[in-house]
DNA sequence: TCGAAGATTGTCT
DNA sequence: GACAATCTTCGAG
């Protein structure tokens, strides 16, 4: 890219919209995490929407509990949860307070800080495998429970505006990795590389 | 290259 | 006590 205008974080208003629009809109955006002196960045290429208490696959379907409480919080904050006894996953909370919906970030492409990612995920055999899964990207980015409820527009953990992905490069499919409400078409991913 | 199964712990019934 | 928005390894073809 020739001249990069300074990347701005997506404002809270970006997240205070229909969750499906947010999931689609996050494709192509930049996930960034600063820890100590190191910065890692990635391009979001896969997301999933979780719509609220009426969505059986959404954690909020169980109601408001200590675990799901962040989903009820303000839009643009992080919901980081622990699964399978060993993995962390990160979501962006969407819609107004009291509407417990969110977008799971499932996959990103490494953009910066690849050395740091490799240190955190020495088992990855290729750069692509560093963060092509929800738990992998949390490991590569150093995301864990400490980022739960963090504001994504000003934290050390942020999502920055970047080149949007055009419709012809986006595919919408069913959600994966879940047992309930599997058939709902709430997963978006980038099918073609925008770079050449 | 693909499918099956184990790892491991917080949360809710 | 069951199960989970996953990743990795291992064995078969």
């Amino acid at each position: 890219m020739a001249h990069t205008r300074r990347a701005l974080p997506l404002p809270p208003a970006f997240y205070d919209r229909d969750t499906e629009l947010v999931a689609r809109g996050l494709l192509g955006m930049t996930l960034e995490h600063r820890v100590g002196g190191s910065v890692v960045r990635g391009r979001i290429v896969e997301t999933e929407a979780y719509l609220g208490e009426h969505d059986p696959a959404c954690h909020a379907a169980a109601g408001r509990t200590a675990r799901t409480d962040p989903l009820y919080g303000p839009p643009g904050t992080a919901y980081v949860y622990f699964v399978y006894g060993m993995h962390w996953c990160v979501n962006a909370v969407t819609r107004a307070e009291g509407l417990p919906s969110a977008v799971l970030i499932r996959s990103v492409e490494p953009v910066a800080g690849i050395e740091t990612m490799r240190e955190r995920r020495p088992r990855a055999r290729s750069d692509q495998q560093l963060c092509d899964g929800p738990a992998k990207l949390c490991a590569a980015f150093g995301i864990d429970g400490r980022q739960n409820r963090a504001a994504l527009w000003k934290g050390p953990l942020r999502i920055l505006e970047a080149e949007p992905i055009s419709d012809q490069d986006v595919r919408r499919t069913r959600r994966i990795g879940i047992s309930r409400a599997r058939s709902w078409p709430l997963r978006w991913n980038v099918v073609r590389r925008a770079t050449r």
Side-chain angles (χ1 to χ4, degrees):
Chain A
M1 55 181 93
H3 242 352
T4 38
R5 133 193 86 147
R6 189 187 170 94
L8 296 172
L10 296 170
F14 176 89
Y15 303 94
D16 189 8
R17 295 185 294 155
D18 183 90
T19 303
E20 299 186 33
L21 290 177
V22 177
R24 166 65 179 84
L26 281 175
L27 294 178
M29 301 299 111
T30 301
L31 181 68
E32 175 188 86
H33 195 203
R34 300 169 177 268
V35 178
S38 66
V39 181
V40 292
R41 286 195 199 94
R43 179 168 163 265
I44 298 172
V45 294
E46 185 178 337
T47 58
E48 260 175 15
Y50 289 87
L51 301 184
E53 293 177 349
H54 65 283
D55 176 355
C58 185
H59 287 174
R64 190 168 189 162
T65 65
R67 183 201 195 197
T68 64
D69 191 63
L71 288 169
Y72 292 78
T77 54
Y79 169 50
V80 184
Y81 66 88
F82 190 64
V83 275
Y84 297 113
M86 60 190 87
H87 298 305
W88 294 97
C89 297
V90 62
N91 298 245
V93 174
T94 62
R95 311 202 59 190
E97 292 204 49
L99 295 175
S101 50
V103 173
L104 171 69
I105 300 174
R106 289 197 59 90
S107 181
V108 309
E109 289 174 359
V111 170
I114 292 179
E115 285 308 308
T116 304
M117 295 185 196
R118 286 208 156 282
E119 287 170 18
R120 290 171 177 153
R121 278 185 43 73
R123 294 167 174 267
R125 296 191 187 175
S126 67
D127 285 358
Q128 164 131 35
Q129 289 178 11
L130 282 171
C131 27
D132 63 343
K136 295 182 195 177
L137 75 89
C138 279
F141 275 66
I143 297 171
D144 59 29
R146 288 171 294 180
Q147 281 74 45
N148 198 20
R149 298 176 185 274
L152 293 172
W153 68 92
K154 63 174 180 185
L157 178 63
R158 301 192 297 172
I159 300 178
L160 307 169
E161 185 180 4
E163 190 69 23
I165 308 295
S166 66
D167 282 345
Q168 62 186 0
D169 293 333
V170 171
R171 192 162 49 196
R172 179 178 181 169
T173 65
R174 293 180 289 179
R175 292 184 293 195
I176 59 179
I178 57 174
S179 54
R180 288 172 290 188
R182 259 188 183 149
S183 61
W184 296 17
L186 295 175
R187 170 173 172 250
W188 285 261
N189 69 300
V190 179
V191 294
R192 224 192 302 173
R193 308 220 165 200
T195 55
R196 66 182 68 155

